[in-house]
Amino acid sequence: MCAFPQTKASLDWSNLSFSYMDTGSRYRACYRNGSWDAHMSADKNITLPEGSQALNYGQQCFEGLKAYTTASGDVVLFRPDMNLARINRSARRLLMQEIPADIFMEGLERVVRENYAFVPPYGHGASLYLRPLYLGIGDNLGLKSASEFLFTVYCSPVGPYYKDGFKPIHLMVSDYDRAAPHGTGNVKVGGNYAAGLLASQEARQKGFAEAIFLDATTRTYIDEVGTSNFFGITADNTLITPVSSSILESITRLSLVEVAQSMGMKVEQRPVALSELENFVEAGCCGTAAVITPISHVTSGERTYQFGDGVSAGQMTTRLYERLLDIQLGKDEEFSHWLHKVI
Ligand SMILES: Cc1ncc(COP(=O)(O)O)c(C=O)c1O
């Protein structure tokens, strides 16, 4: 007996954008007095006490990962164990109760199963984006950690994050800082993203696809893009990607590093100076939402760096992208252990 509907929603799967859709079912787990109480909910609204730490003091964190329909029809998650580890790093940083692995995984799996109708079928370049969200809640006034927590997982079927998909984008170096060293830039907390909104808007108003941030101390090294990590590729096929205490450790980037090595590329993970951009023949950004998005140009003040012909995606970036898609769609043996089968 199958506990979930077998039919698919009537959606234009090949033309989905990266936007919210109410799919009708989400997971909720509440931590109170030392124990977790979980259920599925049809209600997209959450009612919280007005004093909740998540609302007043930003005591909240989240994750983002995708479910894919593979070539053989399975529905899989890409490295959810890494998201579990990361949300608990975020939780520890914000003094929140850690989420047990069984609660986290149950949330992901039930949301995928119960929203099977919204998991895009194979072959449309679309996926089901899952958003685990974790909130400190309760009747509170002063600045202190919550003692009750709400963990929820909701989802939306999505297409590409950037509207043109795998097409090179032009980034603008922001004058704003996103996160400080020893701050919260290396964990996935809402405040980091609110801090980047103005930078992003400014970049878009000037005609760029997105802002890219520098390190806040010296403003000479590349940190990351709003929702993805940066990488560059040199003429001798070395993939170079920034290490910084104020960027989010991208699961896609960690994966890409292993994939690049398996493809025979050299990899350097180290601070990357803005001035080094002139050494790159290809560049890109990577993340769950952005997948791999090639970068054609980066503009910093009066100076514009161009990668390759400035129009098309570079050869190695394209190969990495195709290999990553093959892995996520269950068409790659070597990295098949990264897939967690749900259906
Ligand atoms: C700030 C930031 N950097 C990088 C990433 C990419 O991380 P991942 O590959 O784990 O999605 C994300 C997205 O989660 C992000 O929000």
Side-chain angles (χ1 to χ4, degrees):
M1 258 298 269
C2 204
F4 51 88
Q6 292 287 289
T7 52
K8 290 289 178 188
S10 173
L11 296 175
D12 183 3
W13 300 109
S14 299
N15 290 300
L16 293 173
S17 59
F18 193 89
S19 49
Y20 177 83
M21 186 183 294
D22 177 2
T23 61
S25 182
R26 69 276 301 145
Y27 181 79
R28 299 265 156 82
C30 206
Y31 176 84
R32 186 173 291 128
N33 297 328
S35 60
W36 290 89
D37 183 25
H39 65 280
M40 296 300 289
S41 172
D43 189 356
K44 68 178 178 180
N45 299 301
I46 299 174
T47 303
L48 296 180
E50 62 193 0
S52 289
Q53 280 83 344
L55 300 177
N56 293 269
Y57 298 123
Q59 194 184 30
Q60 66 88 260
C61 55
F62 64 101
E63 274 301 323
L65 69 163
K66 285 175 172 171
Y68 305 86
T69 303
T70 66
S72 61
D74 293 342
V75 178
V76 299
L77 295 169
F78 183 69
R79 310 191 79 178
D81 51 318
M82 305 278 277
N83 297 94
L84 167 66
R86 194 168 64 185
I87 202 167
N88 278 332
R89 282 203 298 279
S90 302
R92 285 193 295 275
R93 179 65 178 82
L94 297 192
L95 224 56
M96 300 171 80
Q97 178 70 29
E98 285 192 34
I99 303 169
D102 58 337
I103 292 286
F104 188 81
M105 291 309 300
E106 177 184 75
L108 299 182
E109 293 193 0
R110 286 186 72 178
V111 166
V112 170
R113 285 203 187 92
E114 298 204 13
N115 292 288
Y116 178 76
F118 293 92
V119 182
Y122 174 77
H124 293 273
S127 54
L128 186 74
Y129 183 82
L130 302 184
R131 169 55 58 82
L133 172 67
Y134 194 38
L135 309 170
I137 60 175
D139 293 325
N140 179 68
L141 193 59
L143 176 57
K144 64 175 184 300
S145 174
S147 54
E148 296 180 8
F149 298 94
L150 175 66
F151 173 60
T152 177
V153 183
Y154 63 91
C155 67
S156 272
V158 296
Y161 189 73
Y162 294 106
K163 66 178 179 359
D164 294 328
F166 190 69
K167 288 272 174 54
I169 56 172
H170 189 157
L171 300 179
M172 183 191 95
V173 172
S174 180
D175 289 334
Y176 296 102
D177 294 328
R178 172 185 171 273
H182 313 294
T184 56
N186 61 350
V187 287
K188 201 164 169 65
V189 304
N192 294 342
Y193 297 83
L197 285 175
L198 186 56
S200 196
Q201 174 181 276
E202 208 171 274
R204 288 188 188 144
Q205 280 173 345
K206 290 182 177 163
F208 300 94
E210 192 43 275
I212 181 165
F213 295 96
L214 300 180
D215 77 288
T217 312
T218 69
R219 299 195 54 80
T220 53
Y221 291 93
I222 300 205
D223 254 2
E224 63 176 330
V225 188
T227 59
S228 50
N229 281 181
F230 173 86
F231 65 86
I233 300 174
T234 55
D236 73 348
N237 256 351
T238 304
L239 181 120
I240 304 178
T241 183
V243 164
S244 158
S245 61
S246 50
I247 68 174
L248 191 72
E249 187 152 86
S250 157
I251 295 163
T252 314
R253 190 247 299 164
L254 293 172
S255 308
L256 211 55
V257 162
E258 287 190 51
V259 170
Q261 283 164 337
S262 110
M263 283 166 46
M265 297 176 75
K266 280 176 282 173
V267 174
E268 291 177 18
Q269 300 181 79
R270 57 167 174 78
V272 177
L274 179 63
S275 57
E276 274 189 68
L277 289 182
E278 64 188 23
N279 302 336
F280 297 141
V281 294
E282 299 184 32
C285 49
C286 62
T288 297
V291 193
I292 291 178
T293 301
I295 300 171
S296 59
H297 301 85
V298 172
T299 293
S300 170
E302 296 298 300
R303 172 114 200 234
T304 292
Y305 300 87
Q306 179 178 313
F307 310 106
D309 64 8
V311 180
S312 39
Q315 192 195 342
M316 291 314 291
T317 306
T318 305
R319 282 185 57 196
L320 287 166
Y321 172 74
E322 286 171 351
R323 183 82 190 272
L324 184 63
L325 286 194
D326 277 354
I327 294 168
Q328 292 170 336
L329 297 177
K331 296 194 278 186
D332 186 286
E333 262 305 300
E334 185 180 352
F335 294 104
S336 59
H337 57 284
W338 283 349
L339 301 184
H340 175 90
K341 183 173 168 189
V342 179
I343 295 171

